[in-house]
Amino acid sequence: MTTYDIALIGFGGVNRTLAELIATRGETLHTELGFGLRVVAITDLRLGSLVQAEGIDLSIPLNLGGGGETFAEYGGSADTNNESVIRNCTADIICEATFTNPDDGEPAVSHVRWALESGKSVCTTNKGPVALRGAELTSLAEQNGVHFEFEGAVMSGTPVIRLAKKMFAGLELKGFEGILNGTSNYVLGRMEAGLGLEAAIGEAQELGYAEANPSADIEGYDVQLKVLILANELLDAGMELQDVQRQGISAVTPENIRKAAREGRRWKLVGAARRNLDGSVTAGVSPVALPLDHGLAGISGATNAVSFDTDLLGAVTVSGPGAGRVETAYALLSDIIAMHAVRTGAAANA
Ligand SMILES: NC(=O)c1ccc[n+]([C@@H]2O[C@H](COP(=O)([O-])OP(=O)(O)OC[C@H]3O[C@@H](n4cnc5c(N)ncnc54)[C@H](OP(=O)(O)O)[C@@H]3O)[C@@H](O)[C@H]2O)c1
């Protein structure tokens, strides 16, 4: 049976959870999926790097973290050495889960590039490289005969990108609109219940939905990246970040919320893109007071949803979690499953 060797770049919430899934459910996955996973390298800013071609005993990284220990105490290094590790390790697949940098996507763009150049497939949950360098990296993967998968970059493990690419074959996708940020959706819901914006944000922070600096969620920057990814991947829009208009929810007032309620409407932060008659695509993020019978109006709390407008089926809406470390680690697993399906399908058809 096939075993894929993987390297984890960044060992925070998502990749640590993927390691936990492999450690605790590896045997079951092996039986169910027809392949095994073995971690041969890990790099992390705080922990350093650990490379073991024979497979890392995952109890070591999973028990590290609190006391300032690094991989240096376990035969690794206190430095990350990302380029050297990514290029030279024996991994088949690199799982990139470092922080999202919305300005230039670095260092994740370089991580992905080094991997693809050295003939390794990549799966990532990081929006930066996908939104800002998606076309270039996809083409680099093709040139090198490897995979570049990124289901978790939009709506974590809820299948959206692959579903639309694979399951809408034969349909024309005219556009999409979605609630793609759980924090802003939660905040709008709490404002509807009577809280002011600041109080609702504070509550979201206490619950761990919102970051200490909530602007990426509240001002729509996070949704802007996701709309860019979906527009380019699904509508072949060829857009750059500045082509996606962005307005967040900070200007939505309690009076706006009350007025909408009186009119049978509900405010949502909607990220959308649509193909125009001339073939061009218009994309943007803005708060919209949706009528209550709209498919996205009932999406509450931190849940996300995207509604695809297709010619033969009309609206097809997918809703589910948009974040969470388990949900997002599952996205990486689903990427690896997709790679395996292509490889085994290709072998079967040879
Ligand atoms: N968690 C979610 O719900 C979710 C959902 C969808 C997408 N994502 C995306 O998935 C990615 C990972 O998320 P996460 O929640 O796991 O984030 P996280 O907990 O902040 O983990 C990121 C890890 O990467 C490490 N790191 C940063 N720069 C590095 C570098 N140059 N080399 C090696 N390691 C580096 C960080 O180390 P330090 O802690 O020392 O900085 C941290 O351990 C992010 O891009 C995020 O936007 C997350």
Side-chain angles (χ1 to χ4, degrees):
M1 196 167 317
T2 310
T3 294
Y4 295 115
D5 284 350
I6 65 174
L8 308 179
I9 308 303
F11 200 63
V14 172
N15 264 344
R16 183 178 280 268
T17 306
L18 180 62
E20 278 166 10
L21 286 176
I22 295 169
T24 56
R25 299 178 55 175
E27 285 301 314
T28 317
L29 293 175
H30 203 283
T31 315
E32 283 176 9
L33 303 174
F35 62 84
L37 292 173
R38 180 169 69 168
V39 179
V40 295
I42 302 176
T43 75
D44 183 76
L45 275 190
R46 208 161 24 87
L47 302 177
S49 53
L50 185 61
V51 181
Q52 289 176 353
E54 68 282 12
I56 293 170
D57 171 359
L58 291 176
S59 66
I60 295 170
L62 289 175
N63 289 318
L64 264 185
E69 277 182 306
T70 71
F71 289 136
E73 281 124 89
Y74 296 89
S77 158
D79 301 321
T80 45
N81 304 318
N82 280 328
E83 180 165 8
S84 161
V85 170
I86 291 171
R87 286 190 187 277
N88 300 322
C89 75
T90 52
D92 305 297
I93 301 168
I94 303 288
C95 302
E96 212 290 345
T98 65
F99 69 99
T100 289
N101 175 348
D103 298 325
D104 63 5
E106 292 293 356
V109 170
S110 294
H111 297 160
V112 176
R113 204 178 274 135
W114 295 331
L116 299 173
E117 283 170 358
S118 54
K120 298 174 175 83
S121 291
V122 173
C123 52
T124 186
T125 56
N126 192 324
K127 293 173 282 295
V130 188
L132 305 176
R133 290 280 177 273
E136 171 200 325
L137 295 171
T138 297
S139 146
L140 186 59
E142 282 164 9
Q143 284 163 32
N144 287 282
V146 291
H147 304 268
F148 177 45
E149 296 286 339
F150 39 80
E151 184 63 59
V154 179
M155 280 178 67
S156 69
T158 305
V160 171
I161 298 174
R162 207 171 290 117
L163 174 125
K165 278 187 180 174
K166 306 270 187 239
M167 306 306 281
F168 290 172
L171 297 175
E172 184 198 340
L173 180 62
K174 298 193 275 186
F176 64 84
E177 51 184 359
I179 292 175
L180 298 168
N181 181 271
T183 305
S184 53
N185 201 47
Y186 177 84
V187 165
L188 286 172
R190 296 303 291 145
M191 288 177 73
E192 213 176 312
L195 267 62
L197 177 73
E198 293 306 322
I201 292 174
E203 196 179 275
Q205 285 167 327
E206 273 170 32
L207 289 168
Y209 293 150
E211 303 283 331
N213 176 356
S215 70
D217 296 323
I218 300 302
E219 299 301 346
Y221 293 104
D222 174 68
V223 179
Q224 187 185 29
L225 287 172
K226 291 168 179 169
V227 168
L228 180 62
I229 292 171
L230 293 180
N232 283 345
E233 290 300 320
L234 305 181
L235 295 171
D236 205 15
M239 287 182 148
E240 299 193 356
L241 193 61
Q242 63 270 21
D243 301 324
V244 181
Q245 301 297 310
R246 178 197 53 78
Q247 187 191 343
I249 61 168
S250 58
V252 177
T253 64
E255 177 47 28
N256 293 147
I257 303 256
R258 285 192 292 273
K259 180 167 182 290
R262 286 195 298 274
E263 294 169 352
R265 292 176 177 270
R266 180 173 284 151
W267 284 93
K268 293 290 177 190
L269 182 62
V270 176
R274 171 153 293 276
R275 190 176 304 288
N276 303 309
L277 287 176
D278 66 0
S280 63
V281 173
T282 305
V285 184
S286 61
V288 183
L290 297 175
L292 292 182
D293 61 359
H294 188 286
L296 297 178
I299 302 299
S300 59
T303 303
N304 283 196
V306 61
S307 185
F308 296 103
D309 183 13
T310 70
D311 59 345
L312 300 183
L313 292 177
V316 177
T317 304
V318 182
S319 73
R325 47 188 202 91
V326 176
E327 295 83 346
T328 313
Y330 171 72
L332 292 174
L333 187 58
S334 79
D335 284 341
I336 298 172
I337 294 168
M339 293 178 197
H340 179 69
V342 171
R343 285 187 187 196
T344 50
N349 292 330

